[in-house]
Amino acid sequence: MDDDVAKTWADARNKIDRLRDGALVKIEALGKSDDLEKTRIEFLGKKSYIMGLIKLLGRLSAEERPEAGAKLNAIRTEIEVAIETKKKWLQHVEQDQILQNENFDISLPSRLLGKGHFHPVAEVMDDLIEIFVELGFMVEEGPEVETDEFNFKMLNFPDDHPARDMQDTFYIGNGTRLMRTHTSPVQIHAMKKYQPPMSVIAPGRVYRCDSDVTHSPVFHQLEGFYIDKNVNFGHLKGTLELFVRHLYGDGVEVRFRPSFFPFTEPSAEIDISCVLCHGGGCRVCKETGWLEILGAGMIDPNVLSVMDINPEKWTGFAFGLGIERIAMLKYGIDDIRLLYENNIGFLQQF
Ligand code: DAH
């Protein structure tokens, strides 16, 4: 048994409680994590007073050692816990300060991501479909690759009709197939599929070998037709007038002009008073005050007969319109190609 050691311990017994109290007060008062580590080294580091005493434990007498050991370990744990608790607290405080110094405003709205929307052609197409569906028409789609039979022959086009020229029609391969030049062949598909009475619209893409400011080689049409008993030209007029008013409002005037289509008899072209100059005359209506927007007529009895629909019993009207033309008039677009260039700046205007 070492006298010096016994003396040191006797001395320490009087001091360590105060030392511990001092350490706890100091830890409590600290304001920075860095200072906390320094304080830990001061009180619990290898060269600290407390660790020095712990090293001496082995040399204390067997009677004193358990009490001294328990005491020193309790003090060490108390200081360690105080340091850990303080450490967590300071981390919170420091994080808060960082956020405050960054002027981080959690109430600011987030950056807006660009939101997409429908293309003007799709938008107009959907509007038109909705109008006719409300009137009781059902929607049919047909193939874009057609035969001469469906695109022309069964629609009563004579063999030498100019629309069959290579000029207008995109033929495929050896010429037995073609890209449909209009949506009218869907009339034939529908008459094959359903028995009258029927009221059908057929929206879709059509193809023509033609390209300038008002013509695109690919464009969209909406076809419509109605077959029933006693359908007459008055029904056609009434339906289209209703449609035009839905689209352009009550102020618009509607005019029917005699025309010719192989699959309708009689045929008409429908004009509306110019939506830009209201009939006064402008560049868009070519100073006429009128805009042509539709082709229509009574379905030719030849077409009905070919489809085994008795023209003595059933009659019908049909119409077709170009979607791009309606969209151009609606938005005042003067070059159809703008609709297909995918220029985001242009499209974002709608
Ligand atoms: N198919 C014609 C075209 O593309 C438009 C048309 C005219 C459709 C008269 C019709 C109609 O249904 O009756 O030029």
Side-chain angles (χ1 to χ4, degrees), residues 181-184 187 208 219 221 223-225 261 263-264 267-268 294-298 317-321:
T181 58
H182 53 175
T183 42
S184 301
Q187 288 188 36
R208 281 185 208 179
F219 61 107
Q221 286 188 336
E223 187 82 13
F225 69 100
F261 299 103
F263 40 92
T264 45
S267 303
L294 274 150
M298 300 306 294
F317 67 69
F319 57 88
L321 57 88

PDB file of all heavy atoms in Angstrom, residues 181-184 187 208 219 221 223-225 261 263-264 267-268 294-298 317-321, ligand 1:
ATOM      1  N   THR A 181     -57.432  10.827 -98.537  1.00  0.00           N
ATOM      2  CA  THR A 181     -57.353  12.258 -98.843  1.00  0.00           C
ATOM      3  C   THR A 181     -58.441  13.044 -98.106  1.00  0.00           C
ATOM      4  O   THR A 181     -58.445  14.264 -98.138  1.00  0.00           O
ATOM      5  CB  THR A 181     -57.524  12.495-100.354  1.00  0.00           C
ATOM      6  OG1 THR A 181     -58.792  11.946-100.750  1.00  0.00           O
ATOM      7  CG2 THR A 181     -56.411  11.826-101.143  1.00  0.00           C
ATOM      8  N   HIS A 182     -59.366  12.328 -97.485  1.00  0.00           N
ATOM      9  CA  HIS A 182     -60.426  12.957 -96.693  1.00  0.00           C
ATOM     10  C   HIS A 182     -61.006  11.929 -95.715  1.00  0.00           C
ATOM     11  O   HIS A 182     -60.648  10.752 -95.774  1.00  0.00           O
ATOM     12  CB  HIS A 182     -61.524  13.564 -97.592  1.00  0.00           C
ATOM     13  CG  HIS A 182     -62.106  12.612 -98.608  1.00  0.00           C
ATOM     14  ND1 HIS A 182     -63.153  12.950 -99.421  1.00  0.00           N
ATOM     15  CD2 HIS A 182     -61.800  11.338 -98.932  1.00  0.00           C
ATOM     16  CE1 HIS A 182     -63.458  11.918-100.201  1.00  0.00           C
ATOM     17  NE2 HIS A 182     -62.646  10.932 -99.925  1.00  0.00           N
ATOM     18  N   THR A 183     -61.844  12.386 -94.796  1.00  0.00           N
ATOM     19  CA  THR A 183     -62.430  11.453 -93.819  1.00  0.00           C
ATOM     20  C   THR A 183     -63.737  10.834 -94.342  1.00  0.00           C
ATOM     21  O   THR A 183     -64.330   9.988 -93.667  1.00  0.00           O
ATOM     22  CB  THR A 183     -62.715  12.166 -92.472  1.00  0.00           C
ATOM     23  OG1 THR A 183     -63.275  13.457 -92.733  1.00  0.00           O
ATOM     24  CG2 THR A 183     -61.435  12.319 -91.661  1.00  0.00           C
ATOM     25  N   SER A 184     -64.162  11.220 -95.563  1.00  0.00           N
ATOM     26  CA  SER A 184     -65.426  10.688 -96.093  1.00  0.00           C
ATOM     27  C   SER A 184     -65.462   9.154 -96.192  1.00  0.00           C
ATOM     28  O   SER A 184     -66.537   8.559 -96.017  1.00  0.00           O
ATOM     29  CB  SER A 184     -65.749  11.322 -97.449  1.00  0.00           C
ATOM     30  OG  SER A 184     -65.842  12.729 -97.305  1.00  0.00           O
ATOM     31  N   GLN A 187     -67.524   7.201 -93.789  1.00  0.00           N
ATOM     32  CA  GLN A 187     -68.967   7.006 -94.054  1.00  0.00           C
ATOM     33  C   GLN A 187     -69.209   5.575 -94.531  1.00  0.00           C
ATOM     34  O   GLN A 187     -70.129   4.895 -94.073  1.00  0.00           O
ATOM     35  CB  GLN A 187     -69.448   7.952 -95.159  1.00  0.00           C
ATOM     36  CG  GLN A 187     -69.548   9.417 -94.771  1.00  0.00           C
ATOM     37  CD  GLN A 187     -70.229  10.219 -95.887  1.00  0.00           C
ATOM     38  OE1 GLN A 187     -71.133   9.744 -96.559  1.00  0.00           O
ATOM     39  NE2 GLN A 187     -69.789  11.467 -96.062  1.00  0.00           N
ATOM     40  N   ARG A 208     -52.697  15.026 -98.269  1.00  0.00           N
ATOM     41  CA  ARG A 208     -52.759  15.479 -99.661  1.00  0.00           C
ATOM     42  C   ARG A 208     -51.419  16.032-100.086  1.00  0.00           C
ATOM     43  O   ARG A 208     -50.742  16.693 -99.299  1.00  0.00           O
ATOM     44  CB  ARG A 208     -53.829  16.565 -99.849  1.00  0.00           C
ATOM     45  CG  ARG A 208     -55.204  15.971 -99.942  1.00  0.00           C
ATOM     46  CD  ARG A 208     -56.244  17.010-100.235  1.00  0.00           C
ATOM     47  NE  ARG A 208     -57.518  16.558 -99.669  1.00  0.00           N
ATOM     48  CZ  ARG A 208     -58.637  17.241 -99.720  1.00  0.00           C
ATOM     49  NH1 ARG A 208     -58.664  18.420-100.302  1.00  0.00           N
ATOM     50  NH2 ARG A 208     -59.733  16.745 -99.182  1.00  0.00           N
ATOM     51  N   PHE A 219     -53.212  17.012 -92.628  1.00  0.00           N
ATOM     52  CA  PHE A 219     -54.071  17.911 -91.849  1.00  0.00           C
ATOM     53  C   PHE A 219     -55.228  17.113 -91.266  1.00  0.00           C
ATOM     54  O   PHE A 219     -55.216  15.884 -91.339  1.00  0.00           O
ATOM     55  CB  PHE A 219     -54.527  19.113 -92.690  1.00  0.00           C
ATOM     56  CG  PHE A 219     -55.332  18.783 -93.918  1.00  0.00           C
ATOM     57  CD1 PHE A 219     -56.698  19.038 -93.948  1.00  0.00           C
ATOM     58  CD2 PHE A 219     -54.738  18.233 -95.045  1.00  0.00           C
ATOM     59  CE1 PHE A 219     -57.453  18.752 -95.082  1.00  0.00           C
ATOM     60  CE2 PHE A 219     -55.481  17.939 -96.186  1.00  0.00           C
ATOM     61  CZ  PHE A 219     -56.839  18.203 -96.198  1.00  0.00           C
ATOM     62  N   GLN A 221     -59.496  16.517 -90.494  1.00  0.00           N
ATOM     63  CA  GLN A 221     -60.877  16.836 -90.866  1.00  0.00           C
ATOM     64  C   GLN A 221     -61.838  16.249 -89.846  1.00  0.00           C
ATOM     65  O   GLN A 221     -61.492  15.341 -89.093  1.00  0.00           O
ATOM     66  CB  GLN A 221     -61.213  16.217 -92.232  1.00  0.00           C
ATOM     67  CG  GLN A 221     -60.591  16.927 -93.408  1.00  0.00           C
ATOM     68  CD  GLN A 221     -61.114  16.392 -94.734  1.00  0.00           C
ATOM     69  OE1 GLN A 221     -61.576  15.238 -94.818  1.00  0.00           O
ATOM     70  NE2 GLN A 221     -61.031  17.203 -95.769  1.00  0.00           N
ATOM     71  N   GLU A 223     -65.600  14.672 -90.212  1.00  0.00           N
ATOM     72  CA  GLU A 223     -66.674  14.248 -91.111  1.00  0.00           C
ATOM     73  C   GLU A 223     -67.909  14.020 -90.255  1.00  0.00           C
ATOM     74  O   GLU A 223     -67.784  13.596 -89.087  1.00  0.00           O
ATOM     75  CB  GLU A 223     -66.244  12.909 -91.749  1.00  0.00           C
ATOM     76  CG  GLU A 223     -67.144  12.394 -92.827  1.00  0.00           C
ATOM     77  CD  GLU A 223     -66.828  13.080 -94.149  1.00  0.00           C
ATOM     78  OE1 GLU A 223     -65.777  13.740 -94.245  1.00  0.00           O
ATOM     79  OE2 GLU A 223     -67.655  12.975 -95.063  1.00  0.00           O
ATOM     80  N   GLY A 224     -69.093  14.266 -90.804  1.00  0.00           N
ATOM     81  CA  GLY A 224     -70.291  13.929 -90.051  1.00  0.00           C
ATOM     82  C   GLY A 224     -71.382  13.508 -91.010  1.00  0.00           C
ATOM     83  O   GLY A 224     -71.428  13.981 -92.145  1.00  0.00           O
ATOM     84  N   PHE A 225     -72.228  12.586 -90.594  1.00  0.00           N
ATOM     85  CA  PHE A 225     -73.386  12.276 -91.440  1.00  0.00           C
ATOM     86  C   PHE A 225     -74.506  11.677 -90.605  1.00  0.00           C
ATOM     87  O   PHE A 225     -74.292  11.166 -89.506  1.00  0.00           O
ATOM     88  CB  PHE A 225     -73.005  11.366 -92.620  1.00  0.00           C
ATOM     89  CG  PHE A 225     -72.644   9.964 -92.227  1.00  0.00           C
ATOM     90  CD1 PHE A 225     -73.575   8.938 -92.356  1.00  0.00           C
ATOM     91  CD2 PHE A 225     -71.379   9.670 -91.740  1.00  0.00           C
ATOM     92  CE1 PHE A 225     -73.251   7.637 -92.010  1.00  0.00           C
ATOM     93  CE2 PHE A 225     -71.042   8.375 -91.379  1.00  0.00           C
ATOM     94  CZ  PHE A 225     -71.982   7.361 -91.505  1.00  0.00           C
ATOM     95  N   PHE A 261     -69.949  17.884-104.919  1.00  0.00           N
ATOM     96  CA  PHE A 261     -69.115  16.784-104.429  1.00  0.00           C
ATOM     97  C   PHE A 261     -69.709  15.512-105.009  1.00  0.00           C
ATOM     98  O   PHE A 261     -70.941  15.395-105.105  1.00  0.00           O
ATOM     99  CB  PHE A 261     -69.120  16.712-102.895  1.00  0.00           C
ATOM    100  CG  PHE A 261     -68.579  17.965-102.243  1.00  0.00           C
ATOM    101  CD1 PHE A 261     -69.447  18.904-101.683  1.00  0.00           C
ATOM    102  CD2 PHE A 261     -67.211  18.204-102.192  1.00  0.00           C
ATOM    103  CE1 PHE A 261     -68.954  20.057-101.089  1.00  0.00           C
ATOM    104  CE2 PHE A 261     -66.712  19.358-101.599  1.00  0.00           C
ATOM    105  CZ  PHE A 261     -67.585  20.286-101.053  1.00  0.00           C
ATOM    106  N   PHE A 263     -70.165  12.635-103.865  1.00  0.00           N
ATOM    107  CA  PHE A 263     -70.922  11.753-102.949  1.00  0.00           C
ATOM    108  C   PHE A 263     -72.133  12.434-102.332  1.00  0.00           C
ATOM    109  O   PHE A 263     -72.810  11.847-101.487  1.00  0.00           O
ATOM    110  CB  PHE A 263     -69.997  11.214-101.854  1.00  0.00           C
ATOM    111  CG  PHE A 263     -69.019  12.245-101.343  1.00  0.00           C
ATOM    112  CD1 PHE A 263     -69.330  13.036-100.247  1.00  0.00           C
ATOM    113  CD2 PHE A 263     -67.798  12.442-101.988  1.00  0.00           C
ATOM    114  CE1 PHE A 263     -68.443  13.992 -99.803  1.00  0.00           C
ATOM    115  CE2 PHE A 263     -66.901  13.410-101.542  1.00  0.00           C
ATOM    116  CZ  PHE A 263     -67.221  14.187-100.446  1.00  0.00           C
ATOM    117  N   THR A 264     -72.413  13.696-102.725  1.00  0.00           N
ATOM    118  CA  THR A 264     -73.623  14.365-102.231  1.00  0.00           C
ATOM    119  C   THR A 264     -74.388  14.985-103.399  1.00  0.00           C
ATOM    120  O   THR A 264     -73.800  15.423-104.382  1.00  0.00           O
ATOM    121  CB  THR A 264     -73.275  15.478-101.206  1.00  0.00           C
ATOM    122  OG1 THR A 264     -72.176  16.239-101.700  1.00  0.00           O
ATOM    123  CG2 THR A 264     -72.934  14.903 -99.846  1.00  0.00           C
ATOM    124  N   SER A 267     -75.247  19.420-103.374  1.00  0.00           N
ATOM    125  CA  SER A 267     -74.101  19.726-102.511  1.00  0.00           C
ATOM    126  C   SER A 267     -74.053  21.225-102.237  1.00  0.00           C
ATOM    127  O   SER A 267     -74.567  22.021-103.020  1.00  0.00           O
ATOM    128  CB  SER A 267     -72.793  19.345-103.196  1.00  0.00           C
ATOM    129  OG  SER A 267     -72.781  17.981-103.563  1.00  0.00           O
ATOM    130  N   ALA A 268     -73.426  21.568-101.126  1.00  0.00           N
ATOM    131  CA  ALA A 268     -73.321  22.988-100.787  1.00  0.00           C
ATOM    132  C   ALA A 268     -71.988  23.262-100.107  1.00  0.00           C
ATOM    133  O   ALA A 268     -71.379  22.367 -99.516  1.00  0.00           O
ATOM    134  CB  ALA A 268     -74.458  23.396 -99.849  1.00  0.00           C
ATOM    135  N   LEU A 294     -67.140  24.852 -94.528  1.00  0.00           N
ATOM    136  CA  LEU A 294     -67.681  23.483 -94.570  1.00  0.00           C
ATOM    137  C   LEU A 294     -68.095  23.077 -95.977  1.00  0.00           C
ATOM    138  O   LEU A 294     -68.553  23.902 -96.755  1.00  0.00           O
ATOM    139  CB  LEU A 294     -68.961  23.431 -93.745  1.00  0.00           C
ATOM    140  CG  LEU A 294     -68.963  23.192 -92.256  1.00  0.00           C
ATOM    141  CD1 LEU A 294     -70.152  23.898 -91.654  1.00  0.00           C
ATOM    142  CD2 LEU A 294     -69.046  21.708 -91.970  1.00  0.00           C
ATOM    143  N   GLY A 295     -67.957  21.776 -96.251  1.00  0.00           N
ATOM    144  CA  GLY A 295     -68.594  21.193 -97.429  1.00  0.00           C
ATOM    145  C   GLY A 295     -69.686  20.274 -96.922  1.00  0.00           C
ATOM    146  O   GLY A 295     -69.532  19.647 -95.883  1.00  0.00           O
ATOM    147  N   ALA A 296     -70.811  20.216 -97.651  1.00  0.00           N
ATOM    148  CA  ALA A 296     -71.910  19.391 -97.145  1.00  0.00           C
ATOM    149  C   ALA A 296     -72.877  19.047 -98.269  1.00  0.00           C
ATOM    150  O   ALA A 296     -72.712  19.491 -99.407  1.00  0.00           O
ATOM    151  CB  ALA A 296     -72.648  20.135 -96.036  1.00  0.00           C
ATOM    152  N   GLY A 297     -73.873  18.267 -97.945  1.00  0.00           N
ATOM    153  CA  GLY A 297     -74.902  17.950 -98.931  1.00  0.00           C
ATOM    154  C   GLY A 297     -75.751  16.780 -98.479  1.00  0.00           C
ATOM    155  O   GLY A 297     -75.551  16.232 -97.393  1.00  0.00           O
ATOM    156  N   MET A 298     -76.702  16.403 -99.358  1.00  0.00           N
ATOM    157  CA  MET A 298     -77.507  15.210 -99.100  1.00  0.00           C
ATOM    158  C   MET A 298     -76.755  14.016 -99.686  1.00  0.00           C
ATOM    159  O   MET A 298     -76.293  14.082-100.834  1.00  0.00           O
ATOM    160  CB  MET A 298     -78.888  15.338 -99.764  1.00  0.00           C
ATOM    161  CG  MET A 298     -79.714  16.524 -99.270  1.00  0.00           C
ATOM    162  SD  MET A 298     -79.924  16.555 -97.478  1.00  0.00           S
ATOM    163  CE  MET A 298     -80.930  15.095 -97.210  1.00  0.00           C
ATOM    164  N   PHE A 317     -77.869  13.292 -94.672  1.00  0.00           N
ATOM    165  CA  PHE A 317     -76.985  14.409 -95.034  1.00  0.00           C
ATOM    166  C   PHE A 317     -75.584  14.115 -94.537  1.00  0.00           C
ATOM    167  O   PHE A 317     -75.386  13.247 -93.676  1.00  0.00           O
ATOM    168  CB  PHE A 317     -77.511  15.761 -94.508  1.00  0.00           C
ATOM    169  CG  PHE A 317     -77.514  15.924 -92.995  1.00  0.00           C
ATOM    170  CD1 PHE A 317     -76.325  16.034 -92.263  1.00  0.00           C
ATOM    171  CD2 PHE A 317     -78.722  16.029 -92.298  1.00  0.00           C
ATOM    172  CE1 PHE A 317     -76.344  16.225 -90.888  1.00  0.00           C
ATOM    173  CE2 PHE A 317     -78.742  16.210 -90.920  1.00  0.00           C
ATOM    174  CZ  PHE A 317     -77.541  16.309 -90.210  1.00  0.00           C
ATOM    175  N   ALA A 318     -74.614  14.826 -95.131  1.00  0.00           N
ATOM    176  CA  ALA A 318     -73.209  14.647 -94.722  1.00  0.00           C
ATOM    177  C   ALA A 318     -72.509  15.995 -94.769  1.00  0.00           C
ATOM    178  O   ALA A 318     -72.943  16.920 -95.470  1.00  0.00           O
ATOM    179  CB  ALA A 318     -72.514  13.654 -95.640  1.00  0.00           C
ATOM    180  N   PHE A 319     -71.458  16.116 -94.005  1.00  0.00           N
ATOM    181  CA  PHE A 319     -70.650  17.349 -94.042  1.00  0.00           C
ATOM    182  C   PHE A 319     -69.213  17.022 -93.681  1.00  0.00           C
ATOM    183  O   PHE A 319     -68.932  15.985 -93.069  1.00  0.00           O
ATOM    184  CB  PHE A 319     -71.213  18.412 -93.085  1.00  0.00           C
ATOM    185  CG  PHE A 319     -71.306  17.932 -91.649  1.00  0.00           C
ATOM    186  CD1 PHE A 319     -70.218  18.066 -90.783  1.00  0.00           C
ATOM    187  CD2 PHE A 319     -72.459  17.337 -91.169  1.00  0.00           C
ATOM    188  CE1 PHE A 319     -70.303  17.628 -89.466  1.00  0.00           C
ATOM    189  CE2 PHE A 319     -72.538  16.885 -89.857  1.00  0.00           C
ATOM    190  CZ  PHE A 319     -71.465  17.026 -88.999  1.00  0.00           C
ATOM    191  N   GLY A 320     -68.311  17.899 -94.105  1.00  0.00           N
ATOM    192  CA  GLY A 320     -66.904  17.703 -93.755  1.00  0.00           C
ATOM    193  C   GLY A 320     -66.246  19.054 -93.585  1.00  0.00           C
ATOM    194  O   GLY A 320     -66.550  20.011 -94.310  1.00  0.00           O
ATOM    195  N   LEU A 321     -65.360  19.164 -92.591  1.00  0.00           N
ATOM    196  CA  LEU A 321     -64.672  20.447 -92.402  1.00  0.00           C
ATOM    197  C   LEU A 321     -63.224  20.223 -92.017  1.00  0.00           C
ATOM    198  O   LEU A 321     -62.855  19.171 -91.495  1.00  0.00           O
ATOM    199  CB  LEU A 321     -65.398  21.299 -91.361  1.00  0.00           C
ATOM    200  CG  LEU A 321     -65.618  20.730 -89.960  1.00  0.00           C
ATOM    201  CD1 LEU A 321     -64.435  21.031 -89.069  1.00  0.00           C
ATOM    202  CD2 LEU A 321     -66.884  21.309 -89.376  1.00  0.00           C
TER     203      LEU A 321
HETATM  204  N1  DAH B   1     -64.590  15.186 -98.246  1.00  0.00           N
HETATM  205  C1  DAH B   1     -64.667  16.562 -98.684  1.00  0.00           C
HETATM  206  C2  DAH B   1     -63.269  17.127 -98.835  1.00  0.00           C
HETATM  207  O1  DAH B   1     -62.383  16.649 -98.280  1.00  0.00           O
HETATM  208  C3  DAH B   1     -65.430  17.395 -97.704  1.00  0.00           C
HETATM  209  C4  DAH B   1     -66.885  17.048 -97.693  1.00  0.00           C
HETATM  210  C5  DAH B   1     -67.758  17.696 -98.538  1.00  0.00           C
HETATM  211  C6  DAH B   1     -67.363  16.058 -96.866  1.00  0.00           C
HETATM  212  C7  DAH B   1     -69.102  17.418 -98.555  1.00  0.00           C
HETATM  213  C8  DAH B   1     -68.713  15.752 -96.868  1.00  0.00           C
HETATM  214  C9  DAH B   1     -69.576  16.436 -97.721  1.00  0.00           C
HETATM  215  O2  DAH B   1     -69.226  14.806 -96.084  1.00  0.00           O
HETATM  216  O3  DAH B   1     -70.898  16.125 -97.720  1.00  0.00           O
HETATM  217  O4  DAH B   1     -63.120  18.103 -99.529  1.00  0.00           O
END
